[in-house]
Structure formats: structure tokens, C-alpha cells
Amino acid sequence: MYLIPKDTMASKLAPAWAFLSGEDRLFEEGASQPTRPGEREHAVVLPVHLHDGLPRRLMAVGLLIDDREATDVACFMFGLPQSEISADDVRDACMEACNVLGGCLVKSNDEAHTVEIGLPQELPLERFAELHRHAHVSVTFSSESDAGRRIVITVFDAIDQRILES
């Protein structure tokens, strides 16, 4: 297995999120959550290539994050007030958040089974929705505030490589 045990994932996501945002959030395992039409969300995918002597397998960790949450993360990461945060800052913060959150969920079992984590990729919401339709969802964790601000982390397996190609 290339993932840490499911029963420990939420306990790894919470401190990683606190590191990224300065805020405590609880993550709960649940059903896969698609994009919300009409809402401003950011979608980022971290490709994870698995090498175990067989043909290389592709997994991905996807992050779907509300725009207000993403902006707050960018403010915390860069130490700037919201008035000074650019769209590029928000994009960079989302990619780093996906990298950190995804990186805490995967592991290499031994030298014969290696994991190669790629670079995070921002996806248009339509392509992220396509990924949901055409990939096997291994596990989904989410955190939603009382104000409806959400963070969703999904681990996808058996991904069609073309979905992640530009």
C-alpha cells in the first residue's frame, strides 16, 4: 500500500492544515464531493507515480478549496493582508497546500516499492470534475466551516494519464 492507513489520515491532515493556515480544522472521511457549480473554488492535483516493478501506476491527491479559504491561506503563508494578495499568490498557496496535504498521505513501503511525487497542477473545475467521473476514488476527507467554507482532499487511483496532461 502506498497510502498511510486510512484511520490515521485525518490525524495527519489536521496538523498539516494548521501549518499551512494557522487554523485548526477537523477532517472527516466521507463521500466523494464534486465541485459546486456557481461557486468560486480552486482545484489542484498532486500526481503520485508508484513504481513497484510492474507498469507504473498513477494516483493523485486532489485538493478542492473554497476561494475565501484559499485567500486566507495565501495571507497566512505570505504574511500579507488580503488587500495585498494577488491571484498568483492564491494560486501558489493552493498548489503548496496540495503538495503538503498530499505528501502527508503517501509513503514508500520499501526500496522495491517507491513513490515519486510530481508537481502540483492547477486544473480547471471542468477537468477536475472529469477526473472525478473517470477515476476510482480511494478516499475523501473534508472539512467545512459553519460559514460553508470547505476543503476537500481526495485520493484518486487508476487515473487516465491524459486527464492530468495539459
Side-chain angles (χ1 to χ4, degrees):
M1 187 66 170
Y2 293 94
L3 299 173
I4 64 173
K6 278 187 186 182
D7 60 347
T8 63
M9 286 182 175
S11 69
K12 297 293 184 186
L13 291 171
W17 182 255
F19 168 77
L20 292 165
S21 69
E23 295 182 359
D24 292 327
R25 293 286 289 261
L26 296 176
F27 289 86
E28 296 180 347
E29 184 177 357
S32 176
Q33 297 187 22
T35 59
R36 293 177 173 170
E39 289 192 20
R40 176 79 173 117
E41 294 182 295
H42 301 270
V44 181
V45 175
L46 182 69
V48 180
H49 298 276
L50 310 175
H51 305 273
D52 57 5
L54 302 172
R56 191 166 76 159
R57 236 173 78 215
L58 178 65
M59 294 177 64
V61 177
L63 170 66
L64 189 60
I65 184 170
D66 169 278
D67 187 55
R68 294 169 296 166
E69 198 73 56
T71 301
D72 286 351
V73 169
C75 289
F76 182 78
M77 258 187 213
F78 300 118
L80 296 172
Q82 187 173 349
S83 61
E84 295 181 31
I85 292 294
S86 70
D88 285 340
D89 292 334
V90 173
R91 180 180 172 272
D92 289 346
C94 289
M95 300 229 298
E96 182 59 20
C98 187
N99 194 39
V100 170
L101 293 167
C104 75
L105 299 181
V106 296
K107 68 176 182 174
S108 180
N109 284 347
D110 55 45
E111 290 180 22
H113 300 89
T114 60
V115 175
E116 178 186 336
I117 298 176
L119 296 174
Q121 303 173 33
E122 185 176 37
L123 295 180
L125 291 178
E126 302 80 30
R127 185 170 277 168
F128 193 81
E130 181 182 349
L131 177 60
H132 261 271
R133 287 191 305 273
H134 297 289
H136 170 74
V137 174
S138 294
V139 64
T140 297
F141 288 90
S142 63
S143 177
E144 188 160 351
S145 71
D146 292 339
R149 296 169 63 163
R150 75 175 183 158
I151 308 154
V152 180
I153 297 108
T154 304
V155 178
F156 300 98
D157 197 1
I159 296 171
D160 180 347
Q161 178 75 37
R162 295 169 294 182
I163 293 173
L164 299 181
E165 293 173 352
S166 301

